[in-house]
């Protein structure tokens, strides 16, 4: 379950970042492709593996006249889980937006960046921020940064 949720969060992360930086109208075809993959992953999790259900039964294995009811339940569960995971992902990315902006600026200056250089920049950013963990809400600390829309 955690592997599927991780994959869904990664796929939703691109779209969430596009929305954070460019608004809802700024999403790309890449986000559409990610949503297609999220839909397939959640369908597999709910319909075939029985995840998130109140029962341990695998209704996806049934092939009878009650399939329509099961399909409606599956759709409802998929939508609920997708919205939950998207909300969690977007919230995390919003808290980390200052770091993302820092890295994007450094990347624009340099033109390219190795993993080692990116990690160095992340560590430098953390060191430069007063109480970085508290500001981005990591380790259970409350976010001290303004809400993304509050600064506008």
């Amino acid at each position: 379950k955690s592997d599927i949720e991780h994959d869904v969060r990664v796929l939703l992360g691109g779209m969430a970042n596009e929305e954070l930086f460019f608004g809802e109208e700024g999403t790309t075809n890449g986000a559409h492709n990610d949503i297609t993959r999220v839909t397939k992953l959640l369908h597999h999790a709910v319909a075939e593996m029985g995840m998130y259900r109140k029962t341990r039964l695998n209704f996806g294995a049934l092939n009878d006249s009650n399939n329509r009811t099961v399909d409606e339940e599956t759709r409802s569960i998929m939508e609920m889980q997708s919205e939950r995971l998207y909300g969690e992902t977007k919230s995390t990315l919003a808290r980390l937006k200052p770091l993302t902006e820092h890295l994007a600026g450094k990347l624009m200056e340099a033109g390219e960046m190795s993993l080692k250089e990116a990690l160095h920049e992340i560590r430098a950013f953390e060191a430069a921020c007063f109480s970085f963990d508290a500001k981005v809400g990591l380790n259970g600390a409350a976010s001290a940064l303004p809400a993304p829309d509050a600064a506008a």
Side-chain angles (χ1 to χ4, degrees):
K1 182 174 174 179
S2 64
D3 289 345
I4 289 175
E5 287 191 358
H6 170 78
D7 291 347
V8 168
R9 284 186 179 100
V10 168
L11 290 167
L12 292 174
M15 186 174 80
N17 250 343
E18 287 179 3
E19 280 188 22
L20 286 170
F21 284 90
F22 308 117
E24 287 189 31
E25 300 302 317
T27 57
T28 64
N29 285 342
H32 173 75
N33 293 335
D34 290 346
I35 292 301
T36 300
R37 292 175 59 197
V38 165
T39 302
K40 290 178 180 178
L41 270 172
L42 287 175
H43 182 265
H44 171 71
V46 175
E48 297 172 22
M49 296 179 63
M51 290 170 49
Y52 307 108
R53 295 189 182 275
K54 295 176 185 172
T55 178
R56 301 278 182 225
L57 298 176
N58 179 358
F59 291 105
L62 299 177
N63 199 10
D64 60 32
S65 61
N66 292 332
N67 240 359
R68 181 178 170 103
T69 302
V70 173
D71 287 345
E72 289 171 10
E73 178 190 12
T74 297
R75 177 184 297 265
S76 173
I77 293 169
M78 289 171 58
E79 288 172 352
M80 184 175 60
Q81 293 305 318
S82 176
E83 289 303 311
R84 177 183 65 83
L85 293 168
Y86 180 77
E88 290 172 6
T89 300
K90 190 171 181 182
S91 176
T92 298
L93 290 170
R95 287 192 313 270
L96 294 172
K97 188 174 180 181
L99 174 59
T100 303
E101 290 170 332
H102 172 77
L103 286 173
K106 292 294 183 177
L107 182 59
M108 294 299 286
E109 287 174 16
E112 63 181 35
M113 188 181 294
S114 71
L115 176 59
K116 182 178 178 180
E117 292 166 327
L119 291 173
H120 172 77
E121 287 301 327
I122 291 168
R123 289 184 188 108
F125 183 85
E126 289 174 336
C129 287
F130 174 74
S131 187
F132 178 78
D133 286 351
K135 287 187 178 194
V136 297
L138 297 176
N139 299 327
S143 177
L145 291 175
D149 295 334

